[in-house]
Amino acid sequence: MADPARAARLAQRIKVIVAEALRRRVKDERAELITVTDARVTNDLQHSTVYYTVMAPDEDSRAGAEAVLAANQGVLRHELGKNLNIRLTPTLEFVADEIPESAAHMEDLLRKAREQDEQVAALRKDAQPASEEKPYRWQVEEDESSDDDADGSGTRRASEAN
């Protein structure tokens, strides 16, 4: 078992190597749309998972990118073996990264929340209170002039409580 810090360093190196190999070694124009976003390696350094995104709006381009990665998996693993100084070359697994789609969804939710906040602020701007100025304060009659309780029950007056 390797330590997790070594696995993290190896994962970052795999990310760079795979991205460079896609640019230099893979002779397919669909590979230009692929961006390697992250890589993870198991603690035994035997298996690696490479996360990627496809910068294309349609599903055909995304399916084409998956086909390019599957067809060139051996070439990419060969590049890993040449550039890594470890005893065993890890296997490659490619997983489509869903972060851009979820980020776009979050942006839509935040935009809707901002619009609703603006609507509430517009309604609040011209709003008037439903009752008097301070509806939750009750008034004490001014005829009690001392600070002590008149009846000695230990209850405070409203002016003392506030």
Side-chain angles (χ1 to χ4, degrees):
M1 273 281 169
D3 64 22
R6 181 176 181 206
R9 285 192 312 266
L10 185 64
Q12 290 303 313
R13 185 73 183 131
I14 287 173
K15 176 181 162 183
V16 170
I17 291 170
V18 168
E20 287 177 1
L22 277 172
R23 185 176 51 85
R24 286 185 298 121
R25 293 284 311 263
V26 177
K27 305 296 184 201
D28 194 340
E29 64 231 13
R30 297 176 294 180
E32 295 173 3
L33 301 174
I34 299 171
T35 302
V36 177
T37 57
D38 196 13
R40 303 232 172 106
V41 178
T42 58
N43 281 343
D44 62 356
L45 308 178
Q46 296 291 316
H47 305 285
S48 64
T49 304
V50 178
Y51 295 92
Y52 68 94
T53 59
V54 180
M55 301 301 168
D58 57 346
E59 289 294 322
D60 293 336
S61 298
R62 291 180 187 174
E66 287 180 22
V68 166
L69 290 172
N72 292 296
Q73 189 170 7
V75 172
L76 297 173
R77 188 162 183 234
H78 176 73
E79 284 292 316
L80 280 181
K82 280 189 348 187
N83 293 311
L84 294 177
N85 293 327
I86 59 176
R87 186 169 57 105
L88 298 172
T89 304
T91 61
L92 286 175
E93 178 185 357
F94 293 101
V95 176
D97 199 356
E98 300 297 326
I99 289 176
E101 290 84 13
S102 61
H105 179 67
M106 287 296 272
E107 286 295 324
D108 287 341
L109 291 175
L110 289 172
R111 182 185 47 76
K112 288 178 185 176
R114 271 188 238 108
E115 289 173 358
Q116 289 176 351
D117 286 347
E118 290 171 1
Q119 290 173 355
V120 168
L123 290 173
R124 183 180 56 210
K125 188 173 99 173
D126 297 329
Q128 298 294 326
S131 63
E132 58 198 49
E133 183 178 319
K134 297 180 182 178
Y136 297 110
R137 294 187 180 203
W138 48 278
Q139 301 295 325
V140 176
E141 297 190 23
E142 297 295 327
D143 60 353
E144 295 180 20
S145 61
S146 68
D147 288 344
D148 297 332
D149 292 312
D151 59 352
S153 65
T155 59
R156 296 187 316 179
R157 295 188 319 215
S159 62
E160 293 174 355
N162 294 330

